Amino acid sequence: MVQSFYDSVLEQIDDTAQRIHLNSGLHQVIRNPERQLTVSIPIEQDDGQIHVFTGYRVQHSSARGPCKGGIRYHPNTNLDEVKALATLMTLKCAVANVPFGGAKGGIQCDPTQLSKKEMQRLTKRYAAMILPIIGSRADIPAPDVNTNAETMGWIMDAVSMYEGKTVLDIVTGKPLELGGSLGRREATGRGVMINAMEIFKKKKLDPKKATITIQGFGNVGSIGADLLQKQGCRITAISDVSCALYNPQGLDISAIVKYLNTSGRPPLLKEYPIKKNDESISNSELLGLDSTMLIPAALENQITTDNADSIKAKIIVEGANGPVTKKADGILTERGIDVVPDILANSGGVIVSYFEWVQGIQSFFWDIHEVNENLKRIMLKSFNDVWSIAKKECISFREAAFILALKKIARAVELRGIFP
Ligand code: NAD
């Protein structure tokens, strides 16, 4: 049976706590989310019927600062998944050293079955129902799977209506016209690119000779692909929920992105008119392709004990959260495959979300150069912090990142003292 996402995260925390001889009380604090809220969200559908959806908001830790984390809309979203994602957010913020704790939210729904008006009503009602626990100094949501800048604009409006004033710093990932930050939409993909280029450098691999396969072609996957192709890498395969495309000579990523940006909503790869030399393959074939680097950028639990042995890529950079289970990670490490873990590789989004929050508080906005330079500086520092621990202790990058994070979170809890 595939290890559950949440069990996988907890097992990694337990292993790390043991390795660093973490005080058992502090270990318990880090293992358990501070607060979990489940809401039943009624909305009036376009046909006049009422439908009730289930939504969640989990705040894992506020030890290092306000909680921060995205909101996901997906048919499989459940409380355990949201707890796992909230926990990873706490660890991610600690690795990047941004002054936030972790949170996550989600609604169990199928966005493809909802009209835009229904999505807007669902989002605003959800925002109102989690309002008692979110806030610009308490818990700041952001986009995740199937949510975007527009969704964040709706949340900002709902909260602003309740408060009777415009509240800019309640969400990040907002549209630019509503106080969003330049570079936020691209930030996670850009961060993935920075990590990929840095590990090529460390391993003395020429990016221009590298082949890269990418699972998931949404915000993270498509922007990561585009930026890596601009660095001279060959993107030989991509996939989304509808299909996978393969071309050993390299796919024309700019053309595919351009096509999807102008097609209907949600844009699907299967609608792209396949070019000569491009080939349609299955998603499982994509994961097993021989390439220099594999970037899983879709959902959790994609590489498990069932397929870890068939992975042929030399390096994995986790664009998604939790794409490799803890047990599969052990197999990959034994096989000498380097995995740049999610809590390091996809932290670009939360780093630029931090910039957006700071800009919103100050109502003073940075240019794109300032955003991207600060993102690069912070990402390279965290990459090198993790790299040094991994090399010194002869452990995997994931183990090193977890050590870095757990030590920082435990120290914050210790310094604050347990209340009361
Ligand atoms: P998105 O909704 O924009 O894109 C998700 C993509 O994955 C889509 O192309 C979808 O078709 C594809 N997909 C879904 N199921 C698939 C499957 N079984 N096989 C292949 N492709 C599949 O979401 P996103 O924002 O790009 O997020 C992707 C991952 O990155 C998630 O794990 C998310 O938590 C993580 N992440 C996102 C951000 C961010 O800023 N958006 C930040 C950090 C981490």
Side-chain angles (χ1 to χ4, degrees):
M1 206 176 84
V2 175
Q3 185 177 29
S4 94
F5 182 20
Y6 192 38
D7 284 346
S8 198
V9 172
L10 290 181
E11 194 183 320
Q12 186 69 57
I13 289 180
D14 295 346
D15 280 6
T16 311
Q18 198 177 20
R19 189 187 279 277
I20 63 174
H21 308 292
L22 186 66
N23 165 291
S24 70
L26 293 174
H27 177 194
Q28 285 308 307
V29 172
I30 295 174
R31 222 178 174 274
N32 291 288
E34 281 175 16
R35 197 174 279 120
Q36 307 169 37
L37 177 66
T38 302
V39 290
S40 299
I41 318 157
I43 64 150
E44 197 176 304
Q45 295 174 170
D46 292 344
D47 63 6
Q49 301 279 323
I50 292 171
H51 187 89
V52 180
F53 293 86
T54 305
Y56 309 94
R57 186 73 188 170
V58 172
Q59 295 169 346
H60 172 261
S61 169
S62 57
R64 299 185 66 259
C67 299
K68 185 91 193 75
I71 290 173
R72 172 178 291 196
Y73 292 174
H74 198 275
N76 298 339
T77 291
N78 59 63
L79 187 57
D80 257 19
E81 177 193 73
V82 179
K83 278 156 70 176
L85 291 164
T87 310
L88 286 180
M89 279 307 294
T90 304
L91 298 161
K92 196 180 298 183
C93 293
V95 170
N97 212 21
V98 292
F100 290 132
K104 203 81 182 188
I107 302 178
Q108 194 181 80
C109 66
D110 182 353
T112 62
Q113 301 304 310
L114 294 166
S115 72
K116 194 159 168 176
K117 286 278 170 213
E118 289 169 334
M119 289 279 275
Q120 189 181 122
R121 287 198 285 275
L122 181 64
T123 302
K124 291 197 180 208
R125 179 77 187 207
Y126 168 71
M129 294 185 82
I130 63 167
L131 189 58
I133 66 166
I134 62 168
S136 53
R137 302 289 165 142
D139 178 1
I140 308 120
D144 192 71
V145 173
N146 290 324
T147 57
N148 55 23
E150 187 177 45
T151 327
M152 296 306 114
W154 294 335
I155 296 180
M156 181 205 135
D157 178 70
V159 174
S160 298
M161 287 302 105
Y162 267 98
E163 302 222 349
K165 59 185 183 226
T166 298
V167 190
L168 281 186
D169 44 358
I170 182 65
V171 278
T172 58
K174 297 182 291 295
L176 284 178
E177 299 85 342
L178 295 178
S181 174
L182 287 168
R184 171 59 185 90
R185 193 182 67 84
E186 300 84 1
T188 310
R190 179 171 290 277
V192 166
M193 179 273 284
I194 293 169
N195 274 276
M197 296 304 286
E198 197 59 13
I199 194 154
F200 283 148
K201 193 166 122 194
K202 288 276 195 278
K203 298 191 78 72
K204 300 190 173 36
L205 293 167
D206 180 357
K208 299 205 165 52
K209 293 193 182 130
T211 54
I212 302 183
T213 50
I214 303 183
Q215 184 204 38
F217 208 66
N219 175 279
V220 181
S222 68
I223 290 167
D226 196 37
L227 292 173
L228 280 161
Q229 189 161 68
K230 289 191 171 113
Q231 296 289 329
C233 306
R234 207 158 15 118
I235 315 296
T236 50
I238 58 170
S239 68
D240 73 0
V241 71
S242 69
C243 76
L245 290 181
Y246 173 57
N247 183 341
Q249 301 312 312
L251 294 158
D252 185 351
I253 297 298
S254 311
I256 300 173
V257 169
K258 198 169 162 200
Y259 178 84
L260 293 180
N261 283 345
T262 49
S263 76
R265 186 177 169 272
L268 288 175
L269 213 46
K270 70 172 183 204
E271 285 154 18
Y272 176 70
I274 196 161
K275 292 240 175 81
K276 202 168 82 146
N277 301 330
D278 292 358
E279 200 186 310
S280 179
I281 56 168
S282 71
N283 199 32
S284 55
E285 281 175 303
L286 175 137
L287 290 176
L289 284 174
D290 195 356
S291 62
T292 319
M293 181 178 282
L294 167 64
I295 303 179
L299 291 171
E300 58 272 7
N301 283 6
Q302 297 300 304
I303 300 170
T304 67
T305 47
D306 291 343
N307 61 357
D309 279 321
S310 65
I311 302 295
K312 295 196 196 72
K314 286 151 201 74
I315 301 168
I316 294 179
V317 176
E318 293 185 331
N321 285 309
V324 179
T325 64
K326 169 81 170 67
K327 297 211 185 323
D329 197 49
I331 299 174
L332 297 173
T333 306
E334 246 172 52
R335 293 185 52 221
I337 298 173
D338 286 312
V339 181
V340 184
D342 44 12
I343 58 170
L344 170 65
N346 70 31
S347 63
V350 77
I351 294 170
V352 177
S353 272
Y354 166 51
F355 301 161
E356 181 175 331
W357 182 70
V358 168
Q359 294 170 75
I361 290 170
Q362 298 181 337
S363 280
F364 183 78
F365 293 88
W366 308 357
D367 65 25
I368 187 68
H369 179 74
E370 193 167 0
V371 171
N372 286 345
E373 280 308 301
N374 278 304
L375 170 64
K376 190 169 174 189
R377 177 178 56 79
I378 293 178
M379 293 232 68
L380 290 181
K381 161 108 179 56
S382 12
F383 183 96
N384 283 291
D385 287 349
V386 171
W387 177 271
S388 307
I389 298 171
K391 293 297 139 189
K392 191 165 156 234
E393 307 275 333
C394 292
I395 54 176
S396 72
F397 297 128
R398 191 185 311 276
E399 288 165 324
F402 267 70
I403 289 178
L404 182 65
L406 249 64
K407 282 188 174 171
K408 283 190 194 174
I409 302 157
R411 183 74 184 130
V413 175
E414 220 170 22
L415 283 169
R416 289 174 69 142
I418 301 293
F419 178 86

